[in-house]
Amino acid sequence: MEQELYPSNEGLTFRQMALEDIPDVMVIEHEAFTLPWTEEAFRNELTQNHFARYMIMQYLGQPIGYAGMWTVIDEAHVTNIAVLQAYRGRKWGELLLRELMQTAAQLGMQRMTLEVRVSNDVAQNLYRKLGFKPAGLRKGYYSDNQEDAMIMWADLPERGSAYGSGEGSEAY
């Protein structure tokens, strides 16, 4: 019998992000991005932006990833999604995005959009796998190196349709 390279998805849970999660989120944010958001930005998202929905992915109770979106009328705009480096390569980023998409659908969103660096093939491949299609470029979108962002869109399942991990989730 082959030994698994990684643990199963057992112990992996999703929940709504709270203000107390910001220190853990900042660790993930700084590890994942060359242009990390500030603590204040996350605090404002959680307390001031009524369009914002953020979730935490935990492994054995410890935050290891997060994702956020803005929900406006019937469209969800992914603001950020990240997983700690030590937990990448297990397809948990895919589960996190599926959970975000399922949550958006439960909230009545019909489509989802995001921007991704044109050089980020790994992320683009994940997004394509989950139904996102390129829809244009934002020239010079990233201020650290003026890299272009690819705009991608996906249709979401109807509210109440099964989608993603098969796990139930709360509406965020």
Short mmCIF file of all heavy atoms in Angstrom, two decimals, residues 7 11 34 40 60 70-71 76 89 93 99 119 126 138 142 144 152 158:
data_model
loop_
_atom_site.label_atom_id
_atom_site.label_comp_id
_atom_site.label_asym_id
_atom_site.label_seq_id
_atom_site.Cartn_x
_atom_site.Cartn_y
_atom_site.Cartn_z
N PRO A 7 -1.22 14.57 4.43
CA PRO A 7 -2.39 14.10 5.17
C PRO A 7 -3.66 14.29 4.36
O PRO A 7 -3.70 15.09 3.43
CB PRO A 7 -2.40 14.99 6.42
CG PRO A 7 -1.51 16.14 6.13
CD PRO A 7 -0.58 15.72 5.03
N GLY A 11 -9.52 17.25 9.24
CA GLY A 11 -8.95 18.32 10.06
C GLY A 11 -8.98 19.68 9.38
O GLY A 11 -8.62 20.69 9.98
N THR A 34 3.86 39.97 -2.84
CA THR A 34 4.88 41.02 -2.88
C THR A 34 4.29 42.38 -2.53
O THR A 34 5.03 43.28 -2.15
CB THR A 34 5.55 41.10 -4.27
OG1 THR A 34 4.54 41.33 -5.25
CG2 THR A 34 6.31 39.83 -4.60
N GLU A 40 -4.68 47.30 8.80
CA GLU A 40 -5.78 48.27 8.73
C GLU A 40 -6.72 47.95 7.57
O GLU A 40 -7.94 48.07 7.70
CB GLU A 40 -5.22 49.69 8.59
CG GLU A 40 -6.31 50.74 8.59
CD GLU A 40 -5.77 52.15 8.44
OE1 GLU A 40 -4.57 52.33 8.21
OE2 GLU A 40 -6.59 53.08 8.53
N LEU A 60 -6.50 21.56 11.63
CA LEU A 60 -6.41 21.21 13.04
C LEU A 60 -6.54 22.44 13.93
O LEU A 60 -5.81 22.62 14.90
CB LEU A 60 -5.10 20.46 13.32
CG LEU A 60 -4.91 19.16 12.52
CD1 LEU A 60 -3.55 18.56 12.80
CD2 LEU A 60 -6.02 18.17 12.80
N TRP A 70 -15.80 40.51 -2.59
CA TRP A 70 -16.83 41.53 -2.48
C TRP A 70 -18.03 41.01 -3.24
O TRP A 70 -17.90 40.54 -4.37
CB TRP A 70 -16.37 42.85 -3.07
CG TRP A 70 -15.22 43.49 -2.35
CD1 TRP A 70 -14.85 43.30 -1.05
CD2 TRP A 70 -14.28 44.41 -2.90
NE1 TRP A 70 -13.75 44.05 -0.75
CE2 TRP A 70 -13.37 44.75 -1.87
CE3 TRP A 70 -14.11 44.99 -4.16
CZ2 TRP A 70 -12.32 45.64 -2.07
CZ3 TRP A 70 -13.05 45.86 -4.34
CH2 TRP A 70 -12.17 46.18 -3.31
N THR A 71 -19.21 41.10 -2.65
CA THR A 71 -20.44 40.65 -3.29
C THR A 71 -21.29 41.87 -3.60
O THR A 71 -21.73 42.56 -2.69
CB THR A 71 -21.19 39.66 -2.39
OG1 THR A 71 -21.43 40.26 -1.12
CG2 THR A 71 -20.39 38.38 -2.18
N ALA A 76 -19.57 38.35 -7.63
CA ALA A 76 -18.56 38.28 -6.57
C ALA A 76 -17.21 38.59 -7.19
O ALA A 76 -16.87 38.07 -8.25
CB ALA A 76 -18.54 36.89 -5.95
N GLY A 89 0.48 22.70 -2.50
CA GLY A 89 0.75 21.44 -3.18
C GLY A 89 -0.14 20.29 -2.73
O GLY A 89 0.05 19.16 -3.15
N GLY A 93 -5.62 24.90 -1.73
CA GLY A 93 -5.98 26.18 -2.32
C GLY A 93 -7.21 26.02 -3.21
O GLY A 93 -8.10 26.88 -3.24
N GLU A 99 -14.76 26.55 -1.89
CA GLU A 99 -15.59 26.96 -0.76
C GLU A 99 -16.05 28.41 -0.94
O GLU A 99 -17.20 28.74 -0.66
CB GLU A 99 -14.79 26.80 0.55
CG GLU A 99 -15.61 26.98 1.79
CD GLU A 99 -16.54 25.82 2.11
OE1 GLU A 99 -16.39 24.71 1.56
OE2 GLU A 99 -17.45 26.03 2.94
N SER A 119 1.97 36.48 -15.24
CA SER A 119 3.08 35.52 -15.08
C SER A 119 2.74 34.36 -14.14
O SER A 119 3.52 33.42 -14.02
CB SER A 119 4.32 36.25 -14.55
OG SER A 119 4.07 36.77 -13.24
N LEU A 126 -5.25 26.82 -11.98
CA LEU A 126 -6.27 26.49 -10.99
C LEU A 126 -7.59 27.17 -11.36
O LEU A 126 -8.65 26.54 -11.36
CB LEU A 126 -5.84 26.94 -9.59
CG LEU A 126 -6.93 26.92 -8.51
CD1 LEU A 126 -7.49 25.52 -8.31
CD2 LEU A 126 -6.41 27.51 -7.21
N ARG A 138 -5.70 44.13 -17.43
CA ARG A 138 -5.55 45.44 -16.79
C ARG A 138 -4.07 45.77 -16.89
O ARG A 138 -3.25 45.15 -16.20
CB ARG A 138 -6.01 45.40 -15.33
CG ARG A 138 -7.48 45.10 -15.15
CD ARG A 138 -7.97 45.49 -13.75
NE ARG A 138 -9.25 44.89 -13.44
CZ ARG A 138 -10.42 45.31 -13.88
NH1 ARG A 138 -10.48 46.34 -14.69
NH2 ARG A 138 -11.53 44.70 -13.53
N TYR A 142 -0.21 45.85 -11.32
CA TYR A 142 0.57 45.63 -10.11
C TYR A 142 1.65 46.70 -9.98
O TYR A 142 2.52 46.83 -10.83
CB TYR A 142 1.17 44.22 -10.12
CG TYR A 142 0.08 43.17 -10.05
CD1 TYR A 142 -0.37 42.53 -11.19
CD2 TYR A 142 -0.51 42.85 -8.84
CE1 TYR A 142 -1.39 41.58 -11.12
CE2 TYR A 142 -1.54 41.91 -8.77
CZ TYR A 142 -1.96 41.28 -9.91
OH TYR A 142 -2.96 40.36 -9.84
N ASP A 144 4.15 47.03 -7.97
CA ASP A 144 5.54 46.69 -7.64
C ASP A 144 6.41 46.57 -8.89
O ASP A 144 7.58 46.91 -8.86
CB ASP A 144 5.62 45.42 -6.79
CG ASP A 144 5.07 44.19 -7.48
OD1 ASP A 144 4.21 44.33 -8.38
OD2 ASP A 144 5.47 43.08 -7.10
N MET A 152 -10.34 37.42 -15.16
CA MET A 152 -10.99 36.15 -15.43
C MET A 152 -12.38 36.15 -14.81
O MET A 152 -12.60 36.77 -13.77
CB MET A 152 -10.15 34.98 -14.89
CG MET A 152 -8.75 34.92 -15.49
SD MET A 152 -7.78 33.50 -14.91
CE MET A 152 -8.39 32.23 -16.06
N GLU A 158 -26.29 27.60 -9.53
CA GLU A 158 -27.49 28.19 -8.95
C GLU A 158 -27.46 28.01 -7.44
O GLU A 158 -26.92 27.03 -6.93
CB GLU A 158 -28.74 27.48 -9.49
CG GLU A 158 -28.85 27.53 -10.99
CD GLU A 158 -29.97 28.43 -11.45
OE1 GLU A 158 -30.86 28.73 -10.64
OE2 GLU A 158 -29.93 28.84 -12.61
#
